[in-house]
């Protein structure tokens, strides 16, 4: 059966794998086109530059997380469940079968390689803000009379989640994320 994916899709898939496993700076155009099985000109027919491909990678990682979160939210009934769904979506990412093992958040890894002011860094910040907003919105439901406390606790839980993701990437496994989820669950019991 013929491969029905477009050259753009194959290039983005190849770049995603290589950027996550090897890093953005270490990954050259030749490696991407070779893995995608396309000519170099095909890359430039689909992306104006490597920077454009990096931006598409960051956006695709963000969209991938959104889809995972939405799947988790379908079974989340209560505000507490929705908060824990955000933690679970990060655990789901950590559980993927990565070629060279789990290296942490692909968005954080990308941001670390991009210069200040790069649009990719802003896209990463948008995803992190979106995760915190999901948590904050659920906390506003749990604490309708104390919006200040809800906002502070959302920031606290966001820091817990993002710090755990960073440590999990450093350590190469999801134990820190599992621990962070248990801590979040414990904190939410008191509300």
């Amino acid at each position: 059966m013929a491969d029905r994916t477009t050259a753009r899709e194959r290039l983005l898939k190849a770049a995603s794998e290589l950027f996550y496993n090897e890093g953005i700076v270490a990954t050259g155009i030749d490696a991407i086109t070779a893995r995608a099985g396309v000519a170099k000109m095909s890359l430039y027919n689909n992306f104006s530059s490597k920077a454009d491909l990096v931006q598409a990678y960051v956006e695709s990682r963000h969209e991938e997380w959104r889809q995972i979160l939405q799947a988790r939210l379908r079974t989340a009934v209560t505000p507490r469940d929705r908060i824990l769904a955000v933690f679970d979506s990060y655990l789901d990412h950590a559980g993927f079968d990565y070629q060279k093992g789990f290296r942490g958040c692909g968005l954080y890894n990308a941001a670390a390689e991009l210069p200040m002011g790069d649009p990719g860094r802003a896209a990463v910040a948008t995803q992190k803000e979106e995760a915190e907003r999901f948590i904050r919105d659920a906390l506003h439901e749990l604490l309708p009379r104390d919006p200040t406390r809800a906002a502070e606790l959302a920031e606290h839980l966001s820091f817990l989640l993002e710090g755990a993701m960073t440590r999990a990437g450093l350590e190469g496994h999801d134990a820190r994320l599992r621990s962070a989820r248990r801590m979040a669950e414990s904190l939410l019991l008191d509300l």
Side-chain angles (χ1 to χ4, degrees):
M1 178 177 266
D3 183 3
R4 295 201 167 165
T5 59
T6 66
R8 181 181 176 81
E9 291 168 330
R10 288 194 312 272
L11 285 160
L12 186 54
K13 182 180 186 301
S16 295
E17 292 168 356
L18 289 166
F19 290 163
Y20 187 82
N21 291 315
E22 308 297 334
I24 292 169
V25 174
T27 300
I29 297 299
D30 291 338
I32 295 167
T33 56
R35 178 164 290 195
V38 301
K40 189 184 271 188
M41 196 62 208
S42 185
L43 185 135
Y44 294 110
N45 287 336
N46 286 281
F47 300 96
S48 62
S49 62
K50 182 179 176 184
D52 187 32
L53 179 57
V54 169
Q55 184 67 25
Y57 163 69
V58 168
E59 290 168 4
S60 72
R61 293 282 305 197
H62 187 171
E63 184 55 33
E64 179 180 69
W65 171 76
R66 279 185 179 139
Q67 290 173 9
I68 291 168
L69 178 61
Q70 289 306 314
R72 285 291 185 168
L73 289 172
R74 281 194 279 281
T75 59
V77 177
T78 68
R80 283 179 184 85
D81 293 342
R82 290 196 301 276
I83 292 167
L84 295 174
V86 177
F87 281 78
D88 290 336
S89 70
Y90 277 47
L91 274 161
D92 290 343
H93 251 282
F96 285 173
D97 185 22
Y98 294 106
Q99 193 174 45
K100 291 191 173 184
F102 177 60
R103 297 183 64 236
C105 176
L107 292 174
Y108 276 138
N109 295 346
E113 293 191 63
L114 299 173
M116 293 302 291
D118 187 284
R121 289 179 68 92
V124 171
T126 296
Q127 186 274 324
K128 301 309 175 185
E129 290 161 3
E130 188 175 335
E132 186 172 337
R133 187 173 55 253
F134 275 108
I135 294 169
R136 185 175 52 249
D137 290 349
L139 283 167
H140 280 298
E141 287 181 56
L142 288 170
L143 302 166
R145 295 196 167 131
D146 196 349
T148 301
R149 181 163 182 242
E152 288 172 353
L153 187 53
E155 186 176 43
H156 179 90
L157 289 172
S158 176
F159 288 170
L160 174 64
L161 176 61
E162 300 301 343
M165 178 56 101
T166 302
R167 287 288 299 273
L170 181 66
E171 295 165 3
H173 53 79
D174 67 2
R176 296 290 179 164
L177 286 165
R178 291 189 183 286
S179 180
R181 189 194 189 284
R182 284 191 302 275
M183 288 178 207
E185 193 170 19
S186 177
L187 286 167
L188 293 169
L189 287 176
D190 296 334
L191 302 181

